[in-house]
Amino acid sequence: MRTAAERVIRAAGAAITARGRFDWGLAGGSTPAALYRLLASDGYRERVEWSRVHFFWSDERSVPPQHADSNYRMAREALLDAVAPASAHVHRIAGELAPAEAAERYTAELASSFGLEPSAGFPSFDLLLLGMGPDGHTASLFPGTPALSETRRWVVANEVRALGTTRLTFSLPLLNASRAVLFLVAGADKAERLEQVLSERADPPLPAQLVRPRGGAPDWLVDAAAGAKLALPIEGTA
Ligand code: 6PG
């Protein structure tokens, strides 16, 4: 995770120098927790101007912020509590609301934070962290789910039948409007799909394969287990 932490620190410094703020899309799930804790630790925490960081989430479960499954809660416990950003800079998805309402509210929050109307295009995050599930999903864009075909809206409520729930997620065009995307992938259960995504062999393409940010191809940091089937090793997440 040291490599990932250095990437975040570098991206934050560049964005703050260029634009006075760092718009950072956080990933959910479990893998990024180690990165967030590292960034909160001595030797790392003091290397980011946290007062200039705006925190966003690329997806959220339909749960309240104190729920064990909340992506917001994971990041708050691993990082936000340690760096104490202004509450106005923490843009939480209101998972406690009805999903359609939560998606609308978050769209309005993004529009206000970026000063951009939803009809005028897509806001660009300086860095978007993403994970990948064993089925090749990313954010909460799961294979075969309706949100994968969304081309206009920024945030959608996506029914994920396989999980028996509805999740809030950025749409693909919003993910792809990012200046930079960094995937963090860990675990042997990802190896098969990761090889398919990176070789672009999956047909139809897997959701993670469809992430093609305007700022250039995504970066991938994977651990040895997830990268076990790759012909060319990629930088590890160690
Ligand atoms: C979520 C994430 C999801 C996650 C992958 C990988 O809300 O769960 O956004 O896309 O990144 O499922 O999860 P792990 O890091 O737990 O393997």
Side-chain angles (χ1 to χ4, degrees):
M1 281 304 172
R2 287 190 297 278
T3 305
E6 293 299 336
R7 293 284 179 87
V8 173
I9 291 167
R10 192 161 65 237
I16 291 166
T17 301
R19 281 178 298 283
R21 66 184 257 178
F22 177 47
D23 291 310
W24 182 20
L26 276 68
S30 57
T31 302
L35 166 61
Y36 301 156
R37 282 193 293 273
L38 184 59
L39 285 167
S41 68
D42 295 343
Y44 285 86
R45 184 178 61 252
E46 56 277 11
R47 295 172 57 197
V48 175
E49 201 178 347
W50 295 105
S51 63
R52 291 185 177 270
V53 178
H54 282 255
F55 297 84
F56 301 86
W57 279 261
S58 54
D59 72 327
E60 186 55 278
R61 291 81 182 276
S62 296
V63 295
Q66 68 278 14
H67 193 283
D69 290 348
S70 166
N71 287 334
Y72 160 78
R73 174 178 164 180
M74 182 273 275
R76 182 176 56 71
E77 292 177 344
L79 176 60
L80 301 186
D81 284 349
V83 300
S87 56
H89 288 189
V90 179
H91 307 278
R92 180 181 70 84
I93 300 175
E96 66 276 19
L97 299 178
E101 168 71 16
E104 275 182 36
R105 289 231 192 148
Y106 205 56
T107 301
E109 170 117 11
L110 291 173
S112 165
S113 184
F114 284 90
L116 185 68
E117 280 310 306
S119 56
F122 294 87
S124 292
F125 294 91
D126 293 305
L127 177 65
L128 195 58
L129 274 188
L130 289 175
M132 190 191 79
D135 59 356
H137 81 261
T138 191
S140 283
L141 297 169
F142 286 77
T145 58
L148 268 179
S149 54
E150 178 59 47
T151 57
R152 285 182 311 100
R153 288 178 294 168
W154 295 358
V155 184
V156 292
N158 191 29
E159 184 186 0
V160 186
R161 292 223 174 98
L163 298 179
T165 185
T166 296
R167 291 242 187 125
L168 286 310
T169 186
F170 283 1
S171 62
L172 265 175
L174 181 56
L175 296 181
N176 288 334
S178 299
R179 290 187 178 88
V181 170
L182 175 60
F183 275 96
L184 293 182
V185 185
D189 60 342
K190 320 279 178 76
E192 185 78 31
R193 288 288 190 233
L194 182 62
E195 194 283 329
Q196 288 179 359
V197 166
L198 293 181
S199 64
E200 301 186 356
R201 278 190 309 106
D203 183 19
L206 293 163
Q209 210 174 315
L210 298 172
V211 176
R212 300 204 171 300
R214 70 179 182 86
D219 279 331
W220 294 80
L221 290 177
V222 305
D223 72 354
K229 294 185 185 297
L230 298 184
L232 293 175
I234 299 184
E235 280 180 82
T237 57

